[in-house]
């Protein structure tokens, strides 16, 4: 089986199901190949392309009227996405139209509470999950909302994904070096990302970065407030989307550690990544508990996670859809990734590859595509752009042809 490092790092850390919150068509192809046993990775649940009323480069589909919103929801449902994802900028009538059409299509709406709406309004409209405590924290000022968000959440069917782990994006200086750049996990990060992160770590922390860093403390306050009304939480990290200082798989362990450290019992913390996740996605018949008829996703650890979720890092073996990966197999996966990312000291990241190296890469990519590998369309676009810029138009065409269909 072939796969990519993000999927394999998740599996090696015991992550057997993932909710991808920024959907693209190539992800649907990857999801299908994983389900068909052609790619090795966690089971994927994928949102549609993000909906927003302002441009977000290639990340979002623009929706500015209720009619346009309904049409996009119908198209995403027909394409086979699992949820509808909304972002920060959206008029109330468009927000309501998305929810109404999603109900007709049998899909839940997940994501952010748009600016100008309250948590109360978002929950009333039917928002299923709220990410990053958006709405509880106001994006315009990165301060707490003056809404009584505890009462707005109390007794409601709503799951919050705190994503505490995103605090890492604001790390600078010694903190960035000690927590990430000098960690054992850094060997599983590509050389180009390591270089970018090292440069970022040396930048001074400006006012905006300090304001964003404060979100971590605000999130802990909200987390404590919501525990008083037995609110429901989900484990999520925002890793894998290009955010600096986040390493897939390892990120989830950090998230669980922070959750337990801020009030949840080990059992409650485990629920955020198992039964809660299944219930929030209406997939409790598929996974979340060990029962006959459910997907054979299992994590075997050598210490008791009911004592502390730190025990989840002591992985003996992982089963994903019935495929058993013992410690030897997991170590081979990790060693393979580290070996690929181990940069030859004679190779400079700023050095342009030779024509022979380019052809060798393209030949390998063609072979991988034939074996069922799914490349990110963005990556293919960037490689194609660089080839065209260098006058290698024929090779750019070959790379573009590798897009998932």
């Amino acid at each position: 089986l072939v796969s990519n490092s993000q999927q394999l790092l998740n599996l090696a850390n015991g992550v057997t199901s993932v909710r991808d919150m920024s959907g693209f068509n190539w992800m649907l192809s990857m999801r299908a190949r994983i389900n068909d046993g052609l790619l090795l990775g966690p089971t994927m649940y994928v949102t549609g392309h993000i909906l927003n009323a302002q441009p977000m480069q290639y990340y979002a589909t623009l929706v500015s009227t209720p009619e346009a919103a309904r049409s996009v929801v119908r198209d995403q449902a027909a394409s086979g996405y699992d949820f509808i994802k909304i972002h920060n900028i959206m008029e109330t009538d468009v927000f309501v139209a998305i929810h109404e059409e999603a109900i007709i299509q049998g899909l839940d709406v997940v994501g952010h509470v748009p600016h100008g709406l309250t948590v109360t309004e978002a929950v009333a409209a039917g928002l299923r999950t709220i990410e990053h405590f958006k709405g509880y924290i106001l994006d315009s000022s990165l301060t707490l909302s003056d809404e009584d968000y505890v009462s707005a959440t109390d007794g409601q069917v709503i799951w919050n994904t705190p994503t505490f782990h995103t605090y890492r994006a604001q790390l600078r200086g010694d903190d960035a070096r000690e927590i990430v750049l000098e960690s054992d996990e850094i060997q599983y990060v590509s050389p180009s990302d390591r270089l970018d992160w090292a440069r970022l770590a040396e930048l001074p922390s400006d006012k905006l970065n300090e304001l964003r860093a404060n979100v971590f403390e605000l999130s802990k306050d909200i987390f404590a407030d919501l525990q008083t009304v037995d609110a429901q939480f989900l484990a999520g990290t925002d890793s894998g989307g290009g955010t600096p200082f986040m390493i897939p798989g390892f990120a989830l362990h950090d998230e669980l550690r922070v959750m337990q450290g801020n009030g949840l019992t080990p059992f409650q913390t485990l629920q955020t990544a198992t039964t809660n996740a299944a219930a929030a996605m209406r997939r409790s018949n598929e996974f979340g508990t060990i029962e006959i008829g459910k997907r054979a996703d299992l994590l075997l650890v050598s210490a008791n996670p009911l004592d502390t979720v730190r025990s989840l890092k002591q992985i003996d073996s992982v089963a994903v859809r019935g495929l058993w990966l013992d410690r030897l197999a997991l170590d081979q996966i990790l060693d393979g990734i580290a070996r690929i990312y181990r940069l030859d000291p004679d190779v400079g990241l700023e050095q342009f590859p030779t024509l022979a190296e380019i052809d060798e890469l393209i030949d390998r990519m063609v072979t991988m595509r034939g074996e069922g590998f799914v490349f990110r369309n963005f990556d293919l676009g960037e490689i194609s752009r660089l080839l065209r810029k260098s006058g290698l138009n024929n090779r750019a065409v070959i790379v573009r042809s590798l897009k998932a269909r």
Side-chain angles (χ1 to χ4, degrees), residues 192-225:
S192 59
D193 280 345
R194 291 203 300 267
L195 178 62
D196 289 342
W197 293 4
R199 289 170 173 168
L200 182 60
E202 297 308 315
L203 294 179
S205 184
D206 57 22
K207 293 287 186 181
L208 179 57
N209 192 64
E210 291 171 3
L211 193 59
R212 287 173 173 164
N214 190 48
V215 168
F216 184 46
E217 297 303 321
L218 293 179
S219 296
K220 290 192 286 188
D221 291 340
I222 297 166
F223 193 60
D225 289 342

Side-chain angles (χ1 to χ4, degrees), residues 201-327:
E202 297 308 315
L203 294 179
S205 184
D206 57 22
K207 293 287 186 181
L208 179 57
N209 192 64
E210 291 171 3
L211 193 59
R212 287 173 173 164
N214 190 48
V215 168
F216 184 46
E217 297 303 321
L218 293 179
S219 296
K220 290 192 286 188
D221 291 340
I222 297 166
F223 193 60
D225 289 342
L226 294 183
Q227 288 176 60
T228 64
V229 292
D230 296 323
Q232 299 296 308
F233 301 108
L234 302 177
T237 63
D238 242 18
S239 62
T243 306
F245 306 134
M246 296 188 190
I247 307 174
F250 298 97
L252 183 66
H253 290 278
D254 185 51
E255 183 73 10
L256 296 176
R257 177 186 60 78
V258 176
M259 283 183 161
Q260 180 183 307
N262 284 275
L264 294 190
T265 66
F267 180 69
Q268 289 171 326
T269 307
L270 286 171
Q271 288 180 306
T272 68
T274 52
T275 54
N276 285 11
M281 293 194 290
R282 304 185 195 272
R283 301 298 201 282
S284 294
N285 63 322
E286 297 177 15
F287 74 99
T289 56
I290 302 172
E291 296 181 62
I292 294 174
K294 291 191 178 181
R295 197 163 60 233
D297 293 344
L298 303 169
L299 174 61
L300 182 62
V301 294
S302 58
N304 189 357
L306 294 179
D307 294 333
T308 172
V309 292
R310 292 179 183 273
S311 298
L312 294 173
K313 292 181 70 70
Q314 300 182 43
I315 298 174
D316 177 86
S317 44
V318 174
V320 56
R321 296 178 304 280
L323 175 64
W324 193 259
L325 301 170
D326 61 18
R327 187 65 256 172

Side-chain angles (χ1 to χ4, degrees), residues 94-150:
V94 175
F95 182 78
V96 172
I98 288 171
H99 283 80
E100 290 177 347
E101 188 62 37
I103 291 172
I104 294 172
Q105 300 300 324
L107 295 177
D108 283 319
V109 181
V110 298
H112 300 188
V113 175
H115 301 171
L117 273 74
T118 64
V119 172
T120 300
E121 292 169 327
V123 172
L127 192 61
R128 185 73 173 175
T129 71
I130 297 176
E131 318 308 319
H132 327 298
F133 286 138
K134 297 284 188 176
Y136 299 81
I137 299 172
L138 302 179
D139 266 357
S140 58
S141 58
L142 296 182
T143 58
L144 283 180
S145 167
D146 59 7
E147 177 186 11
D148 182 2
Y149 55 74
V150 174

Side-chain angles (χ1 to χ4, degrees), residues 66-80 84 101-102 104-105 107:
E67 294 74 22
R70 292 179 186 276
S71 177
V72 171
V73 171
R74 287 193 293 269
D75 289 345
Q76 292 191 355
S79 295
I84 304 299
E101 188 62 37
I104 294 172
Q105 300 300 324
L107 295 177

Side-chain angles (χ1 to χ4, degrees), residues 140-207:
S140 58
S141 58
L142 296 182
T143 58
L144 283 180
S145 167
D146 59 7
E147 177 186 11
D148 182 2
Y149 55 74
V150 174
S151 295
T153 308
D154 189 12
Q156 301 300 315
V157 181
I158 184 72
W159 280 263
N160 267 287
T161 317
T163 59
F164 291 114
H165 188 73
T166 58
Y167 82 93
R168 287 196 170 203
Q170 275 64 59
L171 294 176
R172 297 293 183 272
D174 289 341
D175 287 341
R177 285 187 287 272
E178 293 171 10
I179 295 175
V180 183
L181 299 177
E182 297 172 2
S183 68
D184 290 339
E185 296 93 63
I186 197 66
Q187 64 184 309
Y188 308 118
V189 176
S190 72
S192 59
D193 280 345
R194 291 203 300 267
L195 178 62
D196 289 342
W197 293 4
R199 289 170 173 168
L200 182 60
E202 297 308 315
L203 294 179
S205 184
D206 57 22
K207 293 287 186 181

